[in-house]
Amino acid sequence: MNRPHPVRRRAAHAPLLLALALLGGGCSGGVEGTPGAVGLRDPYFPGLGNGGYDVNHYGLELDVDPAAGHLRGTATITARATQDLSAFHLDLAGLDVAGATVEGRPAAVNRAGKELTIRPDAAVEDRLRKGRTFTTVVRYSGSPQAITDADGSKEGWLRTADGAVALGEPTGSMAWFPGNHHPSDKAAYDIGITVPEPLTAVSNGELVSRRTENGRTAYRWRTAEPMASYLATVAVGRFATRESVTPDGIRLFTAVDPESAAASEDVLARIPAVLKWSAGKFGPYPFASAGAIVERVGDSAYALETQNRPVFPGPPDTALLVHELAHQWFGDSVTPRTWRDMWLNEGFATYAEWLWAADHDGVPVEESFREAFEDDANWAFPPAGPPAARDLSDPPVYGRGAMVVHRVRLAVDDDEAFFALVGGWTKKYRHANASTDDFTAYVEEETEQDLTGLWDAWLHGRSRPPVKG
């Protein structure tokens, strides 16, 4: 992601407490087992996500009325139980739930704030056993809202001049569909969006179909590769769209607000070249499609690496395009295990900017490193240990994160070996989750070096180390 200031924003998220009474009397049925956990105890958002199951697929059917600010949705969630479940939880902020079924049988639904408790009927008890796959359908509607983060920035469902755009990092995806909204639970998606003509609805993955009937158009998008919920997006508006295929066979889809079209054209034309260059640095592109969504200036305040096609808050420059496309490897394919690992996303994406500047603008990486090193803002805290959720998008996560990557490169002391190391990292954790500990262990194993001093000084240290240390 990228912000007007060095970076993004973050919302402090208090643990969501659910009274035991919600799981007791008043619910019909009575499935054996225990309830799935409320929250996954993320270091910064302990109530985010849910335990007891792993989502395999989301099928979302959305009917959007931008003029009224209204959304009607049906979420079909296919998941595998990781324990015997008597009940389980879904994250959903706002919106009214009309009802739910599990395996086609009506289920009891209770709500406490942003947490739904689903208690299945006893008739489907066997489908809730550990290792079994079950399907939940939730029907909901209402006026989806923006979520204000701790630093004052907005995510969730954002109204735009001619529609809306959904931005989900770190918790905003729960504003428009129910689910397990922690980055550690990735899934495939099919998203259908129906909007009034002449508006266009854009989402992740590949456009499967579009059909217009009675003045409304239904768009169907499919994301076959696993995706964290915070990377899911929907953009509704008057877009100029373009489809093509790169020489490497990657399907491109761009959607640009007409007010941003002229100023975006030259930069967006560089997407194939940036993807090819990035693949040479980081390994094969991890998805079947790519592209961009460009809103008009003022519709949103920051860019976000939504999977397959990043969202830009107006015409991007080349550096921002490079940054967000690098996230397709770092963040979208290799996704952080918890939000404490976000520096792995932003450090590598920032380092991609440095590499591009060296290869195309004559700015040596060492010069970019020195500039970041001399910036006091990058030393406010260690990149692997932001003090609070509101700090997750602060300069150390980006600038000092990139410095960590460069110090690894210096430790390897061989560019061919370094980029092989990076390509091996994106291959090993392709479409998976990885933590800071995973990264440090991987680097040490591959280089056969003890890099404790590097990690202590650059990744975890609180003071600025000697630059030649």
Side-chain angles (χ1 to χ4, degrees), residues 385-402:
R390 64 177 176 271
D391 305 307
L392 284 176
S393 286
D394 281 358
V397 177
Y398 291 66
R400 193 168 163 191

Side-chain angles (χ1 to χ4, degrees), residues 92-392:
L92 182 66
L95 302 175
D96 300 316
V97 176
T101 63
V102 177
E103 288 297 296
R105 300 279 298 183
V109 181
N110 290 288
R111 187 164 203 162
K114 299 174 182 176
E115 200 77 16
L116 300 181
T117 303
I118 309 294
R119 189 174 183 86
D121 188 277
V124 298
E125 174 181 337
D126 189 56
R127 301 298 302 180
L128 277 294
R129 298 294 188 190
K130 181 178 180 180
R132 300 296 301 273
T133 297
F134 63 96
T135 298
T136 303
V137 178
V138 180
R139 293 175 289 109
Y140 61 100
S141 64
S143 297
Q145 300 297 313
I147 293 173
T148 302
D149 289 340
D151 64 0
S153 58
K154 303 284 188 180
E155 58 169 317
W157 190 267
L158 308 180
R159 298 287 297 272
T160 63
D162 56 358
V165 62
L167 301 177
E169 187 174 13
T171 69
S173 50
M174 70 170 71
W176 57 283
F177 70 96
N180 194 5
H181 291 284
H182 190 269
S184 62
D185 193 358
K186 302 170 71 169
Y189 283 72
D190 280 276
I191 302 179
I193 314 130
T194 300
V195 295
E197 289 189 281
L199 302 182
T200 300
V202 185
S203 189
N204 311 87
E206 290 77 57
L207 179 62
V208 177
S209 67
R210 65 164 68 85
R211 180 180 178 181
T212 300
E213 188 174 308
N214 299 323
R216 297 180 67 78
T217 304
Y219 295 83
R220 306 196 69 82
W221 294 86
R222 176 166 297 155
T223 304
E225 300 95 348
M227 178 168 69
S229 61
Y230 81 90
L231 298 169
T233 190
V234 166
V236 176
R238 295 175 181 265
F239 292 112
T241 64
R242 182 176 296 178
E243 298 179 62
S244 62
V245 180
T246 73
D248 297 322
I250 301 168
R251 295 171 61 179
L252 295 185
F253 187 100
T254 58
V256 184
D257 186 286
E259 289 194 6
S260 297
S264 302
E265 186 172 1
D266 290 345
V267 173
L268 296 184
R270 305 188 78 174
I271 290 177
V274 173
L275 290 175
K276 184 174 182 178
W277 173 87
S278 300
K281 301 293 185 183
F282 312 134
Y285 182 69
F287 304 110
S289 64
I293 300 169
V294 183
E295 296 282 0
R296 72 182 69 186
V297 174
D299 278 349
S300 65
Y302 53 87
L304 184 63
E305 62 271 19
T306 44
Q307 193 157 302
N308 307 106
R309 53 191 52 82
V311 174
F312 297 97
D317 59 23
T318 301
L320 182 56
L321 180 71
V322 168
H323 183 103
E324 300 304 336
L325 291 182
H327 273 307
Q328 303 304 305
W329 284 262
F330 307 104
D332 295 13
S333 177
V334 184
T335 302
R337 194 173 301 278
T338 75
W339 284 111
R340 180 171 284 156
D341 306 308
M342 186 172 146
W343 78 272
L344 286 166
N345 300 6
E346 302 302 347
F348 270 104
T350 301
Y351 198 65
E353 293 184 61
W354 297 2
L355 293 171
W356 180 273
D359 286 354
H360 297 85
D361 302 324
V363 181
V365 170
E366 191 62 34
E367 183 176 324
S368 297
F369 172 87
R370 175 64 69 173
E371 182 179 346
F373 181 84
E374 293 175 352
D375 186 349
D376 291 343
N378 285 325
W379 300 97
F381 55 80
R390 64 177 176 271
D391 305 307
L392 284 176

